[in-house]
Amino acid sequence: MNEPPKILVVDDEEAIRDSCRQALAKDGYVVDTAENGQSGLQKIKESQPDLVLIDLKMPGMSGMELLEAIGQIDPTIVSVVITGYATIESAVEAMKRNAYDFLPKPFTPDQLRIVIERGLERRRLAAETERLRREKEMMRENFVTLVTHQLRSPLTSVKQYFGVIREGFAGEATDEQKEMIEKAAGKIDRLLELINDWLDMSRVEAGKIAENFERVSLTPMLSEILEELKPQAEARKVSLELHPGDNPIVIDGDPKCLKEAILNLVNNGINYNRAGGSVTIDQKSQDNDLVVEVSDTGIGIPQEDLPFIFDEFFRVKSRETQHIPGTGLGLPIAKKIIEAHKGRMKVASELGRGTTFSILLPKANQSEGSNMT
Ligand code: ADP
């Protein structure tokens, strides 16, 4: 059975302490009292009550000071303020210091009961919300572990076995067998791509990336991206161009994640293009933002699909896209990464002519620190 809620009454007036104790004990609560702020604070530390009734006006430590101290010890304890001079100012001040409710003197036992029940209900809801948040976080962590170890690792080994068979290390395979192995390996690659994208998504969602912020210039990163995607672009007969701008612009961010976001966009620019097409990256300054534009001369996106383009797993269904492999997670991952940097993403597209994705990231405040990578 659940323990009855614990209530502490901190008031220098004995009559108030006694009447509250009587009324609340009758309702089954465990009630304790303190005659001043100091002893109240001590009891809060020792017994961690669910709710504290605090007289604002007490000699020594004031009710406001006690409220502040409770906020530091455990902000989930619900504080209700009792006062004989219920002014708007004191109420606002108390609320600012994390008081949940206000009880003007004199009050009846019924008024006291209503306020206490409301306060305890809030505590129950806060505890329930926290429990669900933790449970969700644990489920996410368990799922990430499951996907990583039980799905990704075996798939990687299967892929390695296929490599061994294809290369003839397990005896000479016929051309027909090699072709089948090739197809199966391709499917495994798609699955691994999906799993890796999903893991990226879950890492970004867990809000982990803001922990690795540093001062960065994107210029060298943009060159690296182009260099890495060159073989793929050449294979699809798409040319790549970079206009990094003249003035170096710095931002605060996680270089690995930012690279992943921009790489996704350039990758799409190549994949959803046509032979002879191009992808251009422009970097420029616009008011307080650094803007990176990735423009392609590819197949474009139908206007009716644009509102969904950043949704998880969304892919345009058309004759031109049906043979292009993908997971529908590249753009949502990129968007989440950019938003974690307090930035924005925009898209403009014309069917059959091409698409431009713009990333806007707030410039770093140059007066703060100067370490840069
Ligand atoms: P994926 O490319 O893995 O399918 P994305 O989230 O990166 O997933 O993109 C979602 C969809 O948006 C793609 O399937 C494609 O239909 C469309 N798309 C994205 N970028 C472009 C682009 N540059 N040109 C045309 N279509 C695009």
Side-chain angles (χ1 to χ4, degrees):
M1 216 179 90
N2 286 343
E3 305 244 312
K6 285 190 269 184
I7 297 171
L8 176 69
V9 184
V10 188
D11 198 311
D12 59 327
E13 276 182 61
E14 196 180 355
I16 298 271
R17 291 199 302 273
D18 287 347
S19 56
C20 287
R21 185 200 284 277
Q22 264 180 19
L24 296 172
K26 219 192 273 170
D27 289 349
Y29 299 119
V30 175
V31 190
D32 197 0
T33 59
E35 60 193 23
N36 57 47
Q38 277 302 346
S39 105
L41 189 57
Q42 194 55 38
K43 289 195 171 181
I44 288 164
K45 284 182 189 159
E46 284 163 11
S47 66
Q48 287 156 347
D50 296 290
L51 187 147
V52 188
L53 268 171
I54 305 169
D55 183 15
L56 271 189
K57 207 169 162 211
M58 289 182 289
M61 184 185 218
S62 73
M64 291 290 184
E65 286 170 298
L66 182 58
L67 268 176
E68 198 128 289
I70 295 174
Q72 279 161 16
I73 297 168
D74 178 358
T76 68
I77 294 178
V78 176
S79 306
V80 174
V81 162
I82 320 172
T83 180
Y85 57 102
T87 63
I88 294 285
E89 288 81 43
S90 55
V92 170
E93 195 53 40
M95 298 298 166
K96 272 192 202 155
R97 293 177 203 219
N98 205 27
Y100 171 65
D101 213 340
F102 213 76
L103 196 56
K105 280 191 223 171
F107 51 84
T108 65
D110 279 344
Q111 285 167 330
L112 173 69
R113 237 170 244 133
I114 289 169
V115 170
I116 296 288
E117 272 165 22
R118 208 160 47 201
L120 288 172
E121 179 61 13
R122 176 202 156 99
R123 179 149 167 90
R124 269 192 294 275
L125 288 176
E128 182 65 7
T129 307
E130 180 55 19
R131 194 186 62 74
L132 290 173
R133 194 194 61 75
R134 283 212 194 126
E135 201 175 283
K136 186 178 159 210
E137 177 60 14
M138 246 171 66
M139 271 172 67
R140 195 193 64 77
E141 278 172 16
N142 289 344
F143 201 59
V144 167
T145 314
L146 176 100
V147 169
T148 311
H149 298 290
Q150 316 283 346
L151 278 177
R152 190 167 63 170
S153 307
L155 280 173
T156 310
S157 335
V158 171
K159 201 181 145 186
Q160 282 161 352
Y161 280 122
F162 281 160
V164 170
I165 298 171
R166 200 178 41 206
E167 296 305 321
F169 293 122
E172 198 47 45
T174 65
D175 284 350
E176 200 183 346
Q177 285 166 338
K178 279 186 191 162
E179 200 182 310
M180 283 178 179
I181 291 284
E182 201 71 50
K183 275 194 185 148
K187 303 266 182 223
I188 299 274
D189 278 340
R190 295 286 88 77
L191 261 178
L192 282 170
E193 214 173 284
L194 177 66
I195 290 170
N196 287 334
D197 275 359
W198 185 85
L199 285 172
D200 279 346
M201 187 87 183
S202 125
R203 192 164 46 93
V204 177
E205 272 176 351
K208 296 263 185 278
I209 63 172
E211 292 164 12
N212 303 317
F213 274 22
E214 55 187 77
R215 194 142 288 188
V216 274
S217 154
L218 297 189
T219 310
M221 180 194 294
L222 297 177
S223 307
E224 266 172 48
I225 291 174
L226 254 56
E227 207 49 45
E228 278 173 35
L229 292 176
K230 217 162 145 190
Q232 196 179 320
E234 274 167 9
R236 306 211 37 152
K237 298 192 172 53
V238 171
S239 62
L240 300 178
E241 232 176 275
L242 171 62
H243 304 143
D246 297 329
N247 299 321
I249 312 165
V250 285
I251 57 162
D252 290 322
D254 179 328
K256 245 176 99 184
C257 290
L258 287 169
K259 183 172 174 184
E260 187 181 335
I262 301 170
L263 202 129
N264 273 339
L265 299 184
V266 183
N267 205 6
N268 281 350
I270 298 170
N271 282 339
Y272 300 101
N273 218 313
R274 285 178 289 228
S278 65
V279 179
T280 312
I281 310 181
D282 287 279
Q283 183 183 220
K284 59 189 179 193
S285 164
Q286 198 175 77
D287 304 322
N288 294 325
D289 291 325
L290 156 72
V291 182
V292 177
E293 277 173 4
V294 179
S295 317
D296 64 62
T297 58
I299 60 174
I301 301 166
Q303 290 302 308
E304 66 270 22
D305 285 337
L306 279 177
F308 310 107
I309 209 76
F310 294 105
D311 290 355
E312 286 167 35
F313 301 109
F314 180 84
R315 307 198 68 219
V316 173
K317 286 187 189 69
S318 71
R319 201 167 34 82
E320 278 159 309
T321 57
Q322 64 181 342
H323 297 299
I324 304 173
T327 60
L329 285 174
L331 288 177
I333 290 172
K335 186 164 184 258
K336 286 210 160 79
I337 291 175
I338 298 307
E339 284 173 354
H341 286 78
K342 300 200 167 39
R344 285 172 292 144
M345 270 186 82
K346 292 200 269 192
V347 55
S349 189
E350 207 177 319
L351 201 57
R353 304 204 72 147
T355 305
T356 298
F357 281 97
S358 312
I359 290 177
L360 291 87
L361 290 159
K363 286 183 205 165
N365 186 349
Q366 295 282 13
S367 56
E368 289 171 14
S370 57
N371 294 341
M372 218 182 83
T373 53

